[in-house]
Amino acid sequence: MLLQLPDVLGPDALAHCSERLANADWADGRLTAGYQSAKAKDNLQLVERSPLARELGALVLDALGRHPSFFTAVLPRHIYPPLFNCYRGGGSFGTHVDNAVRYDHSGARAEPVRTDVSMTLFLSDPGSYDGGELLIEDTYGLQRVKLPAGHAVIYPGTSLHRVTPVTRGERLAAFTWIQSMIRDAGQRRLLFDLDVSIRLLTRDHPEHPALVNLTGSYHNLLRQWAEL
Ligand code: NI
């Protein structure tokens, strides 16, 4: 499932990120790429676990946690600490699949994170740069994603994807991967659809007796499928 999450960051948080990233020490993005994706990658990245990456990463995690659709769409078990990248001067990232497992070194010991879901949060106004589209090959064909600043997209970690060259201006983004409690994308989708329907019914027919059963079915499916 490919889903846009509007307004993850508001204007104040965006302005703060832009100001902090304007003077950032960018490193070659290839330093953190796997063997195969390094050949396709031409961008800049904040050094992982640097003070600035930690500070802004905490801001992004907090915003995702408060977004009304993020939790229900992803059912996160472990979110990799967000990373930040910058594309400019023709920089791009050719077609690749992200590594299946990454190691989160932010705690006392490294913890594996299976990359079930990928997330990109756009930080630059799309009118301020040319190119820089995120192209995702999903089961519904090629999806072109270039969102307003502050909006995010989540998509299956299994997807082939790429970023087209940025030929004018600068494209800043945060990105991360999430291990979901629900490994199977089809099951995750079914739970999301059920949750959206329950919320609509709760809004329009809050007294309907079937709501209790439907909510019970949601939780019983989650109980059956969740890996914790
Ligand atoms: Ni990628």
Side-chain angles (χ1 to χ4, degrees):
M1 175 173 71
L2 187 151
L3 186 72
Q4 292 186 16
L5 305 176
D7 302 314
V8 173
L9 292 184
D12 291 348
L14 273 175
H16 178 74
C17 287
S18 305
E19 190 188 315
R20 300 289 281 125
L21 290 173
N23 305 309
D25 266 337
W26 294 102
D28 188 330
R30 277 176 280 241
L31 292 174
T32 59
Y35 171 75
Q36 184 253 329
S37 61
K39 291 188 280 188
K41 194 172 183 183
D42 174 20
N43 68 0
L44 302 167
Q45 206 166 292
L46 283 191
V47 173
E48 282 198 65
R49 303 191 295 283
S50 64
L52 184 56
R54 285 174 194 259
E55 177 201 322
L56 298 183
L59 184 150
V60 169
L61 286 179
D62 182 58
L64 287 174
R66 283 184 284 107
H67 194 276
S69 301
F70 177 76
F71 183 86
T72 181
V74 177
L75 295 168
R77 179 178 176 219
H78 193 145
I79 307 175
Y80 193 81
L83 302 173
F84 295 82
N85 61 18
C86 171
Y87 291 83
R88 60 189 176 207
S92 65
F93 198 163
T95 304
H96 67 281
V97 170
D98 295 335
N99 286 356
V101 178
R102 302 191 72 95
Y103 286 86
D104 175 358
H105 295 271
S106 63
R109 72 181 142 171
E111 275 198 68
V113 181
R114 191 183 58 229
T115 57
D116 297 321
V117 180
S118 300
M119 191 276 317
T120 294
L121 169 61
F122 291 78
L123 298 174
S124 299
D125 174 0
S128 70
Y129 62 96
D130 288 337
E133 283 181 305
L134 174 60
L135 302 190
I136 302 164
E137 289 180 34
D138 204 350
T139 45
Y140 289 97
L142 187 67
Q143 310 288 320
R144 296 174 168 274
V145 185
K146 183 171 177 175
L147 299 179
H151 293 212
V153 62
I154 51 175
Y155 59 97
T158 49
S159 313
L160 279 171
H161 56 279
R162 62 192 152 110
V163 176
T164 63
V166 172
T167 54
R168 175 184 66 88
E170 187 174 82
R171 175 200 192 266
L172 301 174
F175 60 103
T176 189
W177 301 272
I178 303 109
Q179 178 168 332
S180 175
M181 291 187 267
I182 306 297
R183 179 181 195 156
D184 183 83
Q187 291 176 337
R188 209 182 309 125
R189 171 64 192 257
L190 200 153
L191 286 170
F192 177 67
D193 288 343
L194 188 53
D195 185 65
V196 168
S197 301
I198 290 170
R199 282 199 278 171
L200 276 176
L201 269 176
T202 304
R203 190 192 67 191
D204 296 341
H205 303 282
E207 305 302 333
H208 200 290
L211 263 175
V212 177
N213 301 63
L214 278 173
T215 305
S217 297
Y218 175 87
H219 284 285
N220 290 334
L221 284 172
L222 185 57
R223 200 185 333 268
Q224 199 165 99
W225 292 338
E227 297 170 5
L228 302 171

